[in-house]
PDB file of all heavy atoms in Angstrom:
ATOM      1  N   SER B  33     -10.954  13.421   3.105  1.00 83.00           N
ATOM      2  CA  SER B  33     -11.205  14.195   4.370  1.00 83.00           C
ATOM      3  C   SER B  33      -9.853  14.552   4.966  1.00 83.00           C
ATOM      4  O   SER B  33      -9.183  13.735   5.630  1.00 83.00           O
ATOM      5  CB  SER B  33     -12.015  13.374   5.400  1.00 83.00           C
ATOM      6  OG  SER B  33     -13.235  12.981   4.827  1.00 83.00           O
ATOM      7  N   GLY B  34      -9.435  15.749   4.745  1.00 87.00           N
ATOM      8  CA  GLY B  34      -8.169  16.212   5.219  1.00 87.00           C
ATOM      9  C   GLY B  34      -7.010  15.722   4.310  1.00 87.00           C
ATOM     10  O   GLY B  34      -7.217  14.787   3.489  1.00 87.00           O
ATOM     11  N   PHE B  35      -5.903  16.247   4.517  1.00 91.00           N
ATOM     12  CA  PHE B  35      -4.680  15.872   3.693  1.00 91.00           C
ATOM     13  C   PHE B  35      -3.472  15.994   4.494  1.00 91.00           C
ATOM     14  O   PHE B  35      -3.130  17.093   5.054  1.00 91.00           O
ATOM     15  CB  PHE B  35      -4.571  16.758   2.507  1.00 91.00           C
ATOM     16  CG  PHE B  35      -3.402  16.472   1.573  1.00 91.00           C
ATOM     17  CD1 PHE B  35      -3.483  15.459   0.641  1.00 91.00           C
ATOM     18  CD2 PHE B  35      -2.261  17.224   1.703  1.00 91.00           C
ATOM     19  CE1 PHE B  35      -2.411  15.168  -0.169  1.00 91.00           C
ATOM     20  CE2 PHE B  35      -1.140  16.939   0.881  1.00 91.00           C
ATOM     21  CZ  PHE B  35      -1.271  15.882  -0.046  1.00 91.00           C
ATOM     22  N   ASN B  36      -2.737  14.914   4.615  1.00 90.00           N
ATOM     23  CA  ASN B  36      -1.445  14.875   5.379  1.00 90.00           C
ATOM     24  C   ASN B  36      -0.382  14.234   4.525  1.00 90.00           C
ATOM     25  O   ASN B  36       0.553  13.619   5.085  1.00 90.00           O
ATOM     26  CB  ASN B  36      -1.583  14.178   6.690  1.00 90.00           C
ATOM     27  CG  ASN B  36      -2.338  15.071   7.709  1.00 90.00           C
ATOM     28  OD1 ASN B  36      -1.973  16.215   7.890  1.00 90.00           O
ATOM     29  ND2 ASN B  36      -3.258  14.499   8.384  1.00 90.00           N
ATOM     30  N   GLY B  37      -0.468  14.370   3.213  1.00 93.00           N
ATOM     31  CA  GLY B  37       0.574  13.861   2.307  1.00 93.00           C
ATOM     32  C   GLY B  37       0.106  12.930   1.340  1.00 93.00           C
ATOM     33  O   GLY B  37      -0.883  12.264   1.483  1.00 93.00           O
ATOM     34  N   LEU B  38       0.892  12.826   0.186  1.00 95.00           N
ATOM     35  CA  LEU B  38       0.495  11.922  -0.933  1.00 95.00           C
ATOM     36  C   LEU B  38       1.746  11.088  -1.213  1.00 95.00           C
ATOM     37  O   LEU B  38       2.879  11.601  -1.292  1.00 95.00           O
ATOM     38  CB  LEU B  38       0.076  12.765  -2.118  1.00 95.00           C
ATOM     39  CG  LEU B  38      -0.376  11.899  -3.310  1.00 95.00           C
ATOM     40  CD1 LEU B  38      -1.614  12.639  -4.042  1.00 95.00           C
ATOM     41  CD2 LEU B  38       0.740  11.629  -4.307  1.00 95.00           C
ATOM     42  N   PHE B  39       1.552   9.823  -1.427  1.00 94.00           N
ATOM     43  CA  PHE B  39       2.626   8.829  -1.679  1.00 94.00           C
ATOM     44  C   PHE B  39       2.422   8.206  -3.026  1.00 94.00           C
ATOM     45  O   PHE B  39       1.320   8.052  -3.490  1.00 94.00           O
ATOM     46  CB  PHE B  39       2.560   7.735  -0.675  1.00 94.00           C
ATOM     47  CG  PHE B  39       2.741   8.142   0.801  1.00 94.00           C
ATOM     48  CD1 PHE B  39       1.746   8.781   1.483  1.00 94.00           C
ATOM     49  CD2 PHE B  39       3.930   7.896   1.467  1.00 94.00           C
ATOM     50  CE1 PHE B  39       1.938   9.200   2.881  1.00 94.00           C
ATOM     51  CE2 PHE B  39       4.136   8.206   2.835  1.00 94.00           C
ATOM     52  CZ  PHE B  39       3.127   8.923   3.453  1.00 94.00           C
ATOM     53  N   TRP B  40       3.543   7.868  -3.615  1.00 96.00           N
ATOM     54  CA  TRP B  40       3.608   6.988  -4.868  1.00 96.00           C
ATOM     55  C   TRP B  40       4.363   5.767  -4.489  1.00 96.00           C
ATOM     56  O   TRP B  40       5.476   5.819  -3.907  1.00 96.00           O
ATOM     57  CB  TRP B  40       4.208   7.707  -6.033  1.00 96.00           C
ATOM     58  CG  TRP B  40       3.244   8.741  -6.652  1.00 96.00           C
ATOM     59  CD1 TRP B  40       3.199  10.092  -6.393  1.00 96.00           C
ATOM     60  CD2 TRP B  40       2.291   8.408  -7.664  1.00 96.00           C
ATOM     61  NE1 TRP B  40       2.312  10.709  -7.299  1.00 96.00           N
ATOM     62  CE2 TRP B  40       1.670   9.709  -8.041  1.00 96.00           C
ATOM     63  CE3 TRP B  40       1.840   7.252  -8.325  1.00 96.00           C
ATOM     64  CZ2 TRP B  40       0.652   9.796  -8.973  1.00 96.00           C
ATOM     65  CZ3 TRP B  40       0.789   7.364  -9.211  1.00 96.00           C
ATOM     66  CH2 TRP B  40       0.181   8.631  -9.567  1.00 96.00           C
ATOM     67  N   TYR B  41       3.797   4.622  -4.948  1.00 95.00           N
ATOM     68  CA  TYR B  41       4.439   3.278  -4.820  1.00 95.00           C
ATOM     69  C   TYR B  41       4.532   2.631  -6.123  1.00 95.00           C
ATOM     70  O   TYR B  41       3.701   2.813  -6.979  1.00 95.00           O
ATOM     71  CB  TYR B  41       3.679   2.460  -3.875  1.00 95.00           C
ATOM     72  CG  TYR B  41       3.706   2.856  -2.405  1.00 95.00           C
ATOM     73  CD1 TYR B  41       2.796   3.752  -1.983  1.00 95.00           C
ATOM     74  CD2 TYR B  41       4.621   2.334  -1.544  1.00 95.00           C
ATOM     75  CE1 TYR B  41       2.818   4.167  -0.592  1.00 95.00           C
ATOM     76  CE2 TYR B  41       4.672   2.737  -0.216  1.00 95.00           C
ATOM     77  CZ  TYR B  41       3.767   3.637   0.238  1.00 95.00           C
ATOM     78  OH  TYR B  41       3.850   4.072   1.489  1.00 95.00           O
ATOM     79  N   GLN B  42       5.624   1.779  -6.291  1.00 96.00           N
ATOM     80  CA  GLN B  42       5.715   0.874  -7.394  1.00 96.00           C
ATOM     81  C   GLN B  42       5.443  -0.526  -6.945  1.00 96.00           C
ATOM     82  O   GLN B  42       5.894  -0.885  -5.845  1.00 96.00           O
ATOM     83  CB  GLN B  42       7.072   0.992  -8.015  1.00 96.00           C
ATOM     84  CG  GLN B  42       7.375   0.043  -9.198  1.00 96.00           C
ATOM     85  CD  GLN B  42       8.859   0.053  -9.560  1.00 96.00           C
ATOM     86  OE1 GLN B  42       9.640  -0.438  -8.798  1.00 96.00           O
ATOM     87  NE2 GLN B  42       9.132   0.478 -10.832  1.00 96.00           N
ATOM     88  N   GLN B  43       4.659  -1.277  -7.737  1.00 96.00           N
ATOM     89  CA  GLN B  43       4.379  -2.642  -7.292  1.00 96.00           C
ATOM     90  C   GLN B  43       4.537  -3.574  -8.553  1.00 96.00           C
ATOM     91  O   GLN B  43       3.774  -3.485  -9.457  1.00 96.00           O
ATOM     92  CB  GLN B  43       3.043  -2.819  -6.652  1.00 96.00           C
ATOM     93  CG  GLN B  43       2.726  -4.237  -6.119  1.00 96.00           C
ATOM     94  CD  GLN B  43       1.390  -4.345  -5.512  1.00 96.00           C
ATOM     95  OE1 GLN B  43       0.467  -3.619  -5.821  1.00 96.00           O
ATOM     96  NE2 GLN B  43       1.289  -5.275  -4.555  1.00 96.00           N
ATOM     97  N   HIS B  44       5.510  -4.487  -8.520  1.00 95.00           N
ATOM     98  CA  HIS B  44       5.511  -5.541  -9.553  1.00 95.00           C
ATOM     99  C   HIS B  44       4.605  -6.626  -9.070  1.00 95.00           C
ATOM    100  O   HIS B  44       4.273  -6.857  -7.956  1.00 95.00           O
ATOM    101  CB  HIS B  44       7.002  -6.050  -9.693  1.00 95.00           C
ATOM    102  CG  HIS B  44       7.926  -5.141 -10.324  1.00 95.00           C
ATOM    103  ND1 HIS B  44       8.699  -4.260  -9.660  1.00 95.00           N
ATOM    104  CD2 HIS B  44       8.078  -4.779 -11.633  1.00 95.00           C
ATOM    105  CE1 HIS B  44       9.409  -3.518 -10.510  1.00 95.00           C
ATOM    106  NE2 HIS B  44       9.049  -3.841 -11.727  1.00 95.00           N
TER     107      HIS B  44
END
Side-chain angles (χ1 to χ4, degrees):
Chain B
S33 302
F35 179 83
N36 283 314
L38 186 142
F39 298 75
W40 283 97
Y41 289 86
Q42 180 190 62
Q43 186 179 27
H44 287 98

